Structure formats: structure tokens, C-alpha cells
Amino acid sequence: MDGFTGSLDDSMSGASVSDVNDRLSALELRVQQQEDELTVMKAALADVLRRLAASEVSAASSTKKQHGGKGGAALREAYSMSCIANGGTSGRKRDSTSVTRKETLSSAAKSGTDRKKEVSSQRSLMEEIQEREESPRPKDSAPSPSSPHPPQTPQTPQTPQRPAQSADSSKGHVPPKRGPSVKRSSGMERSQSSTWDSSEDNRNKLVKAASTSKLLAKVVKNAERHKDPVVSQAKMSTREKNSQAEGNHIKMFMRGRPITMFIPSDVENYDDVRTELPSERLKLEWVYGYRGRDCRANVYLLPTGEIVYFIASVVALFNYEERTQRHYLGHTDCVKCLAIHPDKIRIATGQIAGVDKDGRPLQPHVRIWDSVSLSTLQVIGLGTFERGVGSLAFSKADSGQHLSVIDDCNDHMLTVWDWQKKSKIAEIKTTNEVVLAVEFHPTDPNTIVTCGKSHIFFWTWTGTSLARKQGIFGKYEKPKFIQCLAFLSTGDILTGDSGGILLVWTRSSAETPTGKGPRAFQISRQVKGHEGSVFCMCEMRSGTLLTGGGKDRKIILWDHELRADRDIEVPDQYGTIRAVSEGKGDEFLVGTSRNFILRGTFNDGFLVEVQGHTDELWGLASHPSREMFLTCAQDRLVCLWNAVDHSLQWSRTLEEHGHCADFHPSGAVVAIGTHSGKWYVLDAETTDLVAIHTDGNEQLSVMRFSEDGSLLAVGSHDNFIYLYTVSDRGRKYSRYGKCTGHSSYITHLDWSPDNSFIMSNSGDYEILYWDVPNGCKLIRNRSECKDINWATYTCVLGYHVFGVWPEGSDGTDINALIRSHNRKVIALADDFCKVHLFAYPCSTPKAPSHKYSAHSSHVTNVSFLYKDSHLISTGGKDTSIMQWRLVEKASLSLTDSLLSNSAPHRAEPIFTPPSIDKATPTQGPVPPPTANGTQEPSPDSPPPTELAPPVSELTPPRSESTPPPSDSTVSLKDSLEPSDDTATPSDEGLPPLTPPS
């Protein structure tokens, strides 16, 4: 009976699937029929309007000559439809329509001559309509917006000529081209990526189910539009006929909204435009910043003389004497903890969970790697850890053969691994409370200790089992948190807690009978350590002990009898102590909550070795004539960095959160926009406040000086662009005007070289142009601006850059882009932790790019240094600053890779005043820094094989969750090889619940 029921269910399921396919086919037929009906209606309407226009216009023959060579509309339309869209169609409908449309467009791109016979009558009708349409509309025709200038219009006209066209060209609220077809495409573009996962059989069923005659008719229409603009004109609405015929534009769709971009006059045939990979590559040269604000015990000194620490998804190895950095780049998301093997060479780092750009989970895991070669030795925990790796430790008694790991999940699972065999030996739930530390006993290989909120557990590990014994406080006050632990030379355990108390735990002398669980540890001594919490401990080589306090910011040296010997206080501006470790000689290293790494002694105080921002970072500006750049963040800090010796030139605290910045072309001052609408002008040398102004009460999103520095444009979240005249080398400002017309907040803007025009983007995907000399008026006819050679290019929407948008984008995936000064490449910051490098111009859909991973949060901004030698990128929540060196592929060599991270000679160790002479505009084409190299054919091509080091036999196979071994020093594998599907928009796990200091 059960078997019969099962077969009945299967047959019913098969019948229902068949029924669904039939219904989908019927719906597809209806959609196509309605599309054809609308086409005829549009053609009739176009005929009426053109008849009205024909009576008022002459010189039809000259107009016909001007547009006779403007073919290729079909392929352009196919490209624009396949560019970007995001709609709300249901999954099933999206699957069927996108497959059908894919077949249609691929066929449309081919010749349609073999199918002309089936629609010959319709084609003749279209030709007849087109003949009537060839004469353009007059300027004063009310029913249809007037046409833009023909392609022969002189470049950058001074005044707008067609105000009546604003509804189409400036606002974009017109009915989309081809009615239902475009409406479908708005929901189908994202579904294209999802259809790749469906089976080939389902695709074939859906394609075959649609009416063959309807499909062929659709194919011929597209093909004819490609060969002859006659059909193209009839298929479009009247408003779009003008812009397509005379403006020669491309359309893409964002969230179903059409975005029109006009093709420049120097592009004779758009169908011949190709976008190749750039010959330039990026190599990570320097990482600014350190993650101390929510991590602990993550700063160590290696025998190589390098300090190892992490920020974002990068583990940095910094030699402070030689001023060099190396980077381990194997992680795919935020690194949260770090442990050093007893041999001081191998390192284990753990990361949190995340998701990639397609929503697929990136599993948390631990990577064990070699600090000399930077090669990955093992990856463990894929599929085991849930939320992220909270803490980890190598065993000591057996020479680091085992690794213990605490998962940050609700149960805080403790696992013990034989990491070389990649095998999990034991696993057990610890507690629902937060666990802050785990350590192996240095002499007893079977004892593991964990501590955290209101607990300390002593674990006995035998085989595959872990037995727990809870620490009993007895007459001593139970602390809220046990923050850290260390092992004394006697084998006793020392803990530091949130009350500032040091407790010594001694193993009970009475032996526990076999099988009755671990031997208990009892408190044998209590010592008052710090005011506030004891946050970290470090046992020194001499057997003495260092402890770091939270509230009192003190580092105390304890002798062998646990008596306080010496102490020193960390200055308040560095924050509270998060990590302390032993350095060279009598030095020690300190990591702080404000993301500083300090090196110091009790006699000489502290030196800052590493520093960075402590909150989300958005503002970035490169100096116009020096190898320097400025950053500003929500921590209210403004920092000027020297990119040559990788040092902080100066920093200053503002009253507001900084969000955007730009240098005056002279380099003498820098303007900084804040979250409140207030903006500051600072002297770039002395940091003195030069001017302060307020525009509106909302966040300022962009500050942009004109090329000669005589004007400043301020883009705001109140939808306005405020313009100021600038004098006295950026020291005096007076309001010039205000650009009004955007319907959403300003996101990006650029100036023309002659200061006459501004191009701006907004949050609702508008591309608007402004005539500055004529009262900051909105230019209604946007085709007039198609040939302007913009001084800078930071707008994310426009003909020259629209190819950077990924398929299925929702319009917020790209945070910033910038064109290099030599106009060869575009750098891009996206929401998926990636930095991209595209060729410029990038005017074909889904253009190829080199992709680079180092950030673990959305990348907020990018900027080229003034000579294009380096690119700077900033992270959002990860607060990191990455400095990438631009290299030609032909120049990559083993020697170059080995020496790439060495700091150059300090030619500019100090900040010198900018030149009095007026800065020469740097926006024009300049010779590239290096010659072009031969380009690899694919963004996923590996680097030259001779650069790759031998891979360990223990290296796991590459997969989505297991990135390749990373070696930025020898093989350049991670820093040069474009990586796909390893980024994640998630930058934070659930941080450890730590008490306020």
C-alpha cells in the first residue's frame, strides 16, 4: 500500500509540473501577443504625430542623410536589456521569461534575413511609417518633446535648447521602451543569474513551450531593428523615437527604471566597441590600521622581527625597523583571532561567517599558515563552525600538534583538532555565556582551560571525550567576567577578571579516582591588580608577568612572587589596553581599543607603530601634487597620510563626523564635508581652520573643486548642489548658486575642464547636467553634453563607465569609482568587499575586470595618487585603509615581488609647504608611469607559473569556501590574481560581550 501511495504521489507531482509548464507557456504566448498589439498601437500613434510634424518641417532629405548610418540599434537594445535590471517578478515567471528572452536576444544578434518572409507585411508597414517619421519635430510641438541636436552639434553648447524634454532626458519617468518588453526585462535581468542553476531540460521545455511563430516574429523584429532603424523607430514610444534617432543613446535599467546614456559623436559604430581587461594590475603594498576595538590578544612579535596582527581580512606582518609589510591574504571575511604555534613560525587565524555577493554563505574556518613563506598549510572547520571563530590556541606540551577552537555560536562549542590531519578529535558544548579565552596547559597535554562570563572551566581531554570541572570561587567574590588567563612556571593558573583581581588557581593535591572526572583547581591566592578590569596577560621569557588594565590603562610588571614591580600608564588618547605581548629586549607591545599598536619600555615610554581610524570610514582625497592622501571618518578624525613612508603626517579632531573631502588644486587647503551639512576648510600644512560654512542640515556626500580651483561644488543629501566661488588659493569662499532639480540625494559629481558644466548622479539613478555660467540651470537636452571631456570621472552612471555595473545590481552595489589621471583605467569600490580595476572607457555591459580582496566590509571609496603610482581604498565597518601599487603585467617578476613591500628611501620624511606657484591641472592625459604590458586573456588567468612557490601537500583543494593559498610576497597569488565569489558584505560577527572598562 505504501508503495502504491508513493507512486501515486510521484505521478501527481509529475502531472502538476507538466501543468505548470503548460500554464507558463500559455502566459508567455499572451504576453507576446499583447506586446505585438501594443507595437501596432504605438506605430499608429507615431504615424499620427509624425503627420502633424511633417506639415511644419522641411529639409527631410538632409535629416535622412544624417541618420542613415545610425544602424545597430537592435544590438544596442539587446545589450542595454541585458545590462542591469532588478524587478519584482516571481521566481517561476522570471525563469521562463528570462530563458525565452535569452534565446530571443541571442538570435536577434545574428542575421534575421532568413526569417524576413514571416513578417514581410509588418515590415512594409513599419517602413511606410518610418518614411513619414524621417522629418523631425519642430521646436514648439507640444504633444512630443522636441528632439536634441543632431550628432553634428558642436561640443559642449553653452545653453540648453530644449526645455520641453525634461520629462524624458532629465527625469527618466517616461514609459519604458517597447512597453511590456521592457517591463519584463526589468524583472528578468537578475533572474538570468538564477536561471543558470536550473536544469537544461527545464530550459528546453520552457523555450519549446512558447509559440514558435511568436518567437520567430520577435526574433525578426529584433533583427530588423538591428539592420534598419525603421522598425526600431516604430517599436518605441514617440518620446524615445527622437532620442534614439538623433541622440543615439544606450539604455540600461536599474530596479526597473530606464537610464539613458548618449553615445559620444566620436563613436562611429557602437557595435564595434569592445572593453578589454586593463594591462595594469594591483598589488597590495600597505595596510593602515589595526583591529583592537573589539578583539584581544592579537599582537605578537615573531622571530623574524615582524609584528603580526590583523585588520579586515588581512593578517599583516610588519617589520618596524625596516618599515616593511607582508600580508597573508587567504581569508574571505573578518579575521577575529590569532594564535602562534610553539615554533613561532606557524600561525593560526580564525574568521567569522559571511555571505558572498550572490547570498551564498561563506563558512567560518581556521587557517594555519607559514609566516615565512605565507603559504597556507591547512584549513579546518569548514562546515563545523556556525557563527565564527571566537578564540583558539595551539597545544604546548606536544609541540603544537593540536589546536583548540571556540565557536562563537550560542552553545560556544569547544573543538579539539589534529590540525595536520585536518581531523576533529573531540567536541563539546561549553556554556551559553560568552567565552573569551581558551588555552592548553603548557605541561599537561590533557588539560584545557576556558574562561568568560562568570565562569572558568577546566577540561580533561582523553581520546575523543572532554570532561568539565567548573572553577569554584568559594569565599572569594565571583567576578562578572574572567577576561584572561596565563600559566605560571609552577603549573598554577593565573586569571584576571573584570574586578581588577588576579586569582591563582592551584591543582588540588588529592588525586581524583580514575574515571571520576578532572582534578579540581582551587583558588590559592588573590591579588589586587588594577583599577577596573584586567584585560590581558603576557608571561615573559624571564618568568615575570605583564598585565594590562582596562579602566586604569596601566601595564604592570609582576615578579616571580606576584608582587608589582613596575608600572606605566598608556596615554588616554590611545584608548584602553586590549593586548600586550613581549617585544625585543625589555620592550613590550601593546594593542589598544582605539586601534593603536604601541612599542615601549617602562623607562622610555611608548612609540606608535600602527594606527588607524576607529569608526566607519568614507572620506578620501589624494593630494594634487604629492604622494599623500587624506581620510576622514565617523570617529571625527581627519588624517593626512604619507604614502611614501606610510606614516601619519598629522591628524585633527573635528566637531562633526567627516564624510567627504577634496583638496584644492594648489594643495594648500582641503575641504571636508560632514554629516550635519557643515563643511570645514583646513590648512593642509598646519591643520588650522581656514573657513567653515553650512549648507542645509543633512549629510554632505561630495566636495569637488573645479580643475582650476576657482569653484567648489558641494553635493548634499537635501538633493541640492551648492556652488561657491573660491579665491586666495582656497582660503575665501562666497556662494555662487545652487543646482536644483534632482529628486534624490546627490551621490557623485564631476566638473568639465572649463568650469562650465557639472555632471551629477543621485540616489535614484539620475544623470543630470548643469550649465554653471548661466545660473546653474539644468540642461534639459542631455545629448548636448555627450561630448564633454570631464576633468575627473567619479560618477558611477554614464556612458564611459556603465559597463562596470554587475548583472542584477540594485543600484547600491557600487559605492565609488575613479578614473586614473592618465585615463587608462577605472578603479571601483563595491559593496562586496572588492576593489576592481577596469579599462577606461568601460562602455560595454558586464565588462571584465581584475578583482582584489582585502577588505572585509563594503569598500567605501577609492582614489589614485596624483601620479597614478598607487591606488588607495577605504573600508567601511572594517575601518581599514589599503594602499595598492599599480604594476604592469610585463613588469611582474620574482625580484619585483620580493622587494615590492620594502619602503623606499625617505625622500620626503616631513611635510613641506606646497609650492606657491599655481598647481598645474593634472586632469589632462599624462604619460603613463610604465609601459603597457601584455594582457592576460581572462580575469581568472593565474599568474605566471614561475612565480608560484611549491604548494604544501597539506594545502586543501580550491573551492568556493576554500580560497587558494595566499602568498603576497613570493607568488603574488592573492594580491594579483582576481578572485571571484570570495567577498562578503558582512564585516562583523557578534563581537564578544565584554564589560565596559
Side-chain angles (χ1 to χ4, degrees):
M1 184 64 185
D2 292 341
F4 175 76
T5 305
S7 62
L8 183 62
D9 290 342
D10 292 341
S11 62
M12 290 176 66
S13 175
S16 62
V17 171
S18 175
D19 183 55
V20 168
N21 287 337
D22 292 341
R23 293 185 63 188
L24 286 174
S25 302
L27 287 172
E28 178 68 17
L29 288 175
R30 290 182 60 187
V31 168
Q32 301 236 357
Q33 288 168 357
Q34 291 172 0
E35 182 180 328
D36 293 339
E37 291 172 5
L38 284 172
T39 299
V40 175
M41 292 173 64
K42 287 182 182 179
L45 177 61
D47 188 21
V48 173
L49 293 172
R50 294 311 179 200
R51 285 175 185 271
L52 290 173
S55 63
E56 303 174 7
V57 175
S58 59
S61 60
S62 62
T63 306
K64 191 176 298 184
K65 288 179 182 179
Q66 290 176 3
H67 300 293
K70 299 294 181 181
L75 200 52
R76 261 198 309 278
E77 178 65 12
Y79 280 154
S80 68
M81 287 180 65
S82 66
C83 189
I84 295 144
N86 178 15
T89 10
S90 67
R92 290 177 181 169
K93 184 173 180 181
R94 279 166 36 183
D95 282 356
S96 64
T97 52
S98 87
V99 171
T100 306
R101 192 177 135 277
K102 184 178 66 175
E103 291 290 320
T104 302
L105 293 181
S106 62
S107 303
K110 303 173 185 177
S111 173
T113 55
D114 55 339
R115 302 185 181 95
K116 286 183 183 178
K117 296 179 182 179
E118 297 191 27
V119 288
S120 58
S121 59
Q122 187 173 11
R123 171 170 160 71
S124 61
L125 173 63
M126 297 299 122
E127 288 176 343
E128 183 181 354
I129 293 172
Q130 171 64 16
E131 289 174 0
R132 297 179 184 131
E133 290 176 353
E134 289 300 334
S135 53
R137 291 290 312 274
K139 294 182 180 180
D140 54 354
S141 295
S144 172
S146 48
S147 63
H149 289 300
Q152 287 78 10
T153 303
Q155 183 174 343
T156 64
Q158 290 297 314
T159 57
Q161 300 293 325
R162 305 290 184 266
Q165 196 175 347
S166 62
D168 169 45
S169 59
S170 67
K171 291 295 180 183
H173 293 300
V174 300
K177 185 188 298 184
R178 291 169 45 233
S181 173
V182 168
K183 184 175 182 182
R184 283 191 304 147
S185 74
S186 70
M188 287 186 301
E189 294 308 321
R190 177 161 284 186
S191 74
Q192 273 196 341
S193 59
S194 64
T195 29
W196 307 147
D197 299 330
S198 61
S199 68
E200 197 67 29
D201 293 340
N202 287 340
R203 283 193 225 170
N204 294 334
K205 285 180 184 178
L206 291 172
V207 174
K208 290 177 183 177
S211 164
T212 305
S213 61
K214 292 293 181 182
L215 272 177
L216 291 178
K218 171 79 172 173
V219 169
V220 176
K221 280 183 242 176
N222 279 282
E224 290 306 309
R225 192 169 69 250
H226 173 44
K227 294 190 64 178
D228 189 348
V230 173
V231 180
S232 173
Q233 303 304 311
K235 286 282 288 180
M236 288 183 289
S237 67
T238 307
R239 189 187 303 274
E240 289 166 335
K241 286 175 194 173
N242 294 327
S243 58
Q244 176 72 18
E246 299 177 352
N248 201 9
H249 68 260
I250 296 227
K251 261 191 183 174
M252 73 177 191
F253 295 86
M254 202 83 74
R255 287 184 175 271
R257 178 170 184 169
I259 301 170
T260 303
M261 294 159 292
F262 291 89
I263 300 175
S265 302
D266 58 359
V267 179
E268 295 182 1
N269 184 3
Y270 176 76
D271 301 335
D272 296 333
V273 173
R274 298 289 182 270
T275 303
E276 304 294 338
L277 278 167
S279 60
E280 292 84 353
R281 296 283 190 100
L282 296 180
K283 182 186 186 307
L284 184 61
E285 179 177 280
W286 203 266
V287 178
Y288 300 83
Y290 153 71
R291 183 166 184 166
R293 68 191 188 280
D294 60 351
C295 294
R296 60 185 66 226
N298 60 350
V299 177
Y300 297 96
L301 181 70
L302 299 178
T304 57
E306 295 169 307
I307 302 173
V308 59
Y309 59 94
F310 55 77
I311 182 170
S313 63
V314 179
V315 187
L317 296 95
F318 170 51
N319 189 315
Y320 57 86
E321 292 180 342
E322 299 177 5
R323 303 297 300 176
T324 61
Q325 267 190 7
R326 297 187 299 140
H327 311 104
Y328 177 73
L329 299 170
H331 285 281
T332 58
D333 211 304
C334 283
V335 182
K336 285 298 293 288
C337 54
L338 183 152
I340 308 295
H341 192 276
D343 65 10
K344 304 293 185 184
I345 294 175
R346 288 172 285 190
I347 297 174
T349 43
Q351 73 168 62
I352 66 170
V355 292
D356 67 10
K357 63 186 179 66
D358 297 319
R360 294 190 295 261
L362 293 173
Q363 296 173 325
H365 59 270
V366 174
R367 304 181 77 86
I368 299 97
W369 47 280
D370 188 303
S371 63
V372 177
S373 67
L374 298 181
S375 58
T376 301
L377 304 177
Q378 196 59 273
V379 178
I380 64 171
L382 289 169
T384 298
F385 309 131
E386 288 183 26
R387 190 172 295 163
V389 180
S391 54
L392 71 170
F394 281 103
S395 58
K396 300 177 180 64
D398 60 1
S399 302
Q401 183 180 350
H402 296 96
L403 185 73
S404 59
V405 184
I406 296 290
D407 187 359
D408 259 345
C409 64
N410 292 335
D411 290 335
H412 296 95
M413 302 299 293
L414 167 63
T415 52
V416 180
W417 300 76
D418 184 334
W419 63 267
Q420 289 177 321
K421 296 180 180 177
K422 201 177 178 180
S423 62
K424 181 171 62 178
I425 300 173
E427 181 176 24
I428 194 170
K429 171 184 172 180
T430 59
T431 173
N432 288 332
E433 303 288 1
V434 64
V435 178
L436 298 176
V438 59
E439 291 288 350
F440 278 93
H441 196 284
T443 58
D444 182 356
N446 296 324
T447 297
I448 301 173
V449 185
T450 61
C451 65
K453 184 177 181 182
S454 303
H455 76 270
I456 179 169
F457 294 148
F458 306 99
W459 304 86
T460 297
W461 165 42
T462 52
T464 59
S465 66
L466 286 162
R468 184 181 78 179
K469 198 77 170 181
Q470 184 166 353
I472 305 300
F473 290 90
K475 64 179 181 180
Y476 300 98
E477 181 181 357
K478 188 175 184 179
K480 188 173 182 182
F481 286 87
I482 295 183
Q483 304 261 41
C484 52
L485 62 91
F487 297 93
L488 302 177
S489 56
T490 59
D492 292 344
I493 299 171
L494 182 69
T495 61
D497 60 42
S498 52
I501 303 297
L502 301 177
L503 294 174
V504 179
W505 300 78
T506 304
R507 195 186 295 271
S508 173
S509 58
E511 290 291 335
T512 303
T514 305
K516 296 295 185 180
R519 291 156 55 192
F521 280 81
Q522 297 176 342
I523 299 174
S524 62
R525 186 178 174 191
Q526 173 180 288
V527 179
K528 176 62 177 177
H530 290 265
E531 295 293 331
S533 64
V534 182
F535 212 91
C536 50
M537 292 181 177
C538 168
E539 189 175 3
M540 310 289 276
R541 286 183 292 268
S542 62
T544 56
L545 189 80
L546 286 179
T547 60
K551 184 178 179 180
D552 63 6
R553 303 190 316 280
K554 282 186 178 180
I555 294 175
I556 301 177
L557 177 65
W558 304 85
D559 64 15
H560 296 78
E561 302 299 325
L562 217 58
R563 294 183 297 241
D565 187 6
R566 306 191 64 176
D567 66 77
I568 187 171
E569 185 174 326
V570 173
D572 181 53
Q573 67 263 29
Y574 301 138
T576 59
I577 299 167
R578 286 284 185 174
V580 61
S581 64
E582 191 170 17
K584 292 182 180 179
D586 59 352
E587 292 181 342
F588 47 87
L589 304 174
V590 181
T592 74
S593 61
R594 292 187 183 169
N595 296 345
F596 286 88
I597 295 179
L598 310 174
R599 178 170 59 92
T601 66
F602 287 104
N603 293 326
D604 301 328
F606 295 100
L607 294 173
V608 175
E609 293 295 350
V610 178
Q611 56 193 307
H613 286 278
T614 60
D615 208 340
E616 191 159 350
L617 180 60
W618 281 89
L620 173 65
S622 294
H623 195 283
S625 57
R626 297 192 152 190
E627 300 282 343
M628 294 183 177
F629 61 93
L630 180 137
T631 56
C632 56
Q634 294 183 11
D635 57 9
R636 300 187 293 119
L637 271 181
V638 178
C639 300
L640 181 68
W641 306 87
N642 187 322
V644 178
D645 61 12
H646 314 111
S647 63
L648 179 68
Q649 202 68 41
W650 54 254
S651 66
R652 173 179 174 139
T653 303
L654 298 178
E655 298 175 357
E656 310 280 347
H657 296 170
H659 192 80
C660 53
D662 195 29
F663 276 95
H664 187 268
S666 69
V669 299
V670 61
I672 299 158
T674 70
H675 278 234
S676 65
K678 191 179 293 185
W679 53 276
Y680 301 84
V681 181
L682 301 181
D683 187 294
E685 180 184 358
T686 65
T687 77
D688 292 340
L689 185 62
V690 173
I692 182 170
H693 297 268
T694 302
D695 287 310
N697 57 4
E698 296 192 43
Q699 173 182 305
L700 302 181
S701 49
V702 56
M703 312 285 291
R704 186 81 64 225
F705 283 99
S706 61
E707 190 173 29
D708 63 1
S710 63
L711 291 167
L712 172 67
V714 181
S716 171
H717 272 227
D718 63 8
N719 304 357
F720 300 131
I721 300 173
Y722 301 91
L723 297 181
Y724 286 81
T725 56
V726 184
S727 57
D728 192 18
R729 298 181 78 232
R731 296 181 177 273
K732 293 183 180 179
Y733 299 81
S734 59
R735 176 74 76 84
Y736 173 75
K738 182 168 73 170
C739 299
T740 305
H742 272 294
S743 54
S744 185
Y745 57 91
I746 313 301
T747 58
H748 308 85
L749 64 85
D750 293 291
W751 285 92
S752 63
D754 59 1
N755 301 353
S756 297
F757 301 97
I758 289 176
M759 169 174 59
S760 58
N761 292 167
S762 62
D764 58 351
Y765 327 125
E766 287 180 322
I767 310 172
L768 299 189
Y769 301 90
W770 310 90
D771 188 340
V772 177
N774 292 320
C776 311
K777 291 181 180 178
L778 174 66
I779 298 177
R780 306 289 184 180
N781 186 357
R782 292 182 299 153
S783 65
E784 296 175 1
C785 302
K786 66 183 180 182
D787 293 323
I788 295 178
N789 189 17
W790 300 100
T792 59
Y793 215 119
T794 61
C795 286
V796 297
L797 294 170
Y799 170 79
H800 294 89
V801 299
F802 80 88
V804 305
W805 285 91
E807 184 180 10
S809 174
D810 66 355
T812 63
D813 296 338
I814 295 176
N815 296 314
L817 66 77
I818 189 166
R819 181 188 65 195
S820 61
H821 299 93
N822 61 22
R823 302 179 183 234
K824 292 174 63 178
V825 293
I826 300 168
L828 180 144
D830 74 11
D831 249 3
F832 309 110
C833 320
K834 292 286 180 66
V835 175
H836 297 250
L837 201 64
F838 290 86
Y840 177 86
C842 189
S843 305
T844 56
K846 294 183 284 188
S849 70
H850 300 305
K851 307 183 185 88
Y852 303 94
S853 299
H855 292 282
S856 61
S857 170
H858 50 289
V859 187
T860 54
N861 216 331
V862 283
S863 180
F864 286 100
L865 297 185
Y866 81 107
K867 286 184 178 179
D868 293 332
S869 60
H870 293 83
L871 176 75
I872 309 298
S873 62
T874 57
K877 293 290 188 182
D878 66 26
T879 72
S880 65
I881 306 167
M882 308 286 180
Q883 180 171 318
W884 309 81
R885 185 163 56 91
L886 265 76
V887 291
E888 295 281 347
K889 182 198 166 194
S891 69
L892 294 179
S893 66
L894 186 60
T895 302
D896 173 65
S897 64
L898 286 170
L899 299 179
S900 61
N901 288 333
S902 299
H905 296 294
R906 299 195 182 189
E908 271 189 302
I910 58 172
F911 187 93
T912 54
S915 170
I916 300 300
D917 298 333
K918 191 168 184 178
T920 304
T922 60
Q923 309 301 335
V926 295
T930 55
N932 279 332
T934 305
Q935 180 54 53
E936 288 182 343
S938 164
D940 292 322
S941 301
T945 54
E946 63 269 21
L947 299 184
V951 181
S952 167
E953 294 179 359
L954 294 173
T955 303
R958 183 173 181 176
S959 67
E960 284 180 4
S961 336
T962 309
S966 168
D967 189 345
S968 66
T969 302
V970 179
S971 71
L972 309 180
K973 190 172 184 64
D974 279 275
S975 61
L976 286 178
E977 182 181 34
S979 54
D980 246 332
D981 297 326
T982 57
T984 168
S986 170
D987 57 279
E988 299 287 344
L990 294 179
L993 181 60
T994 54
S997 57

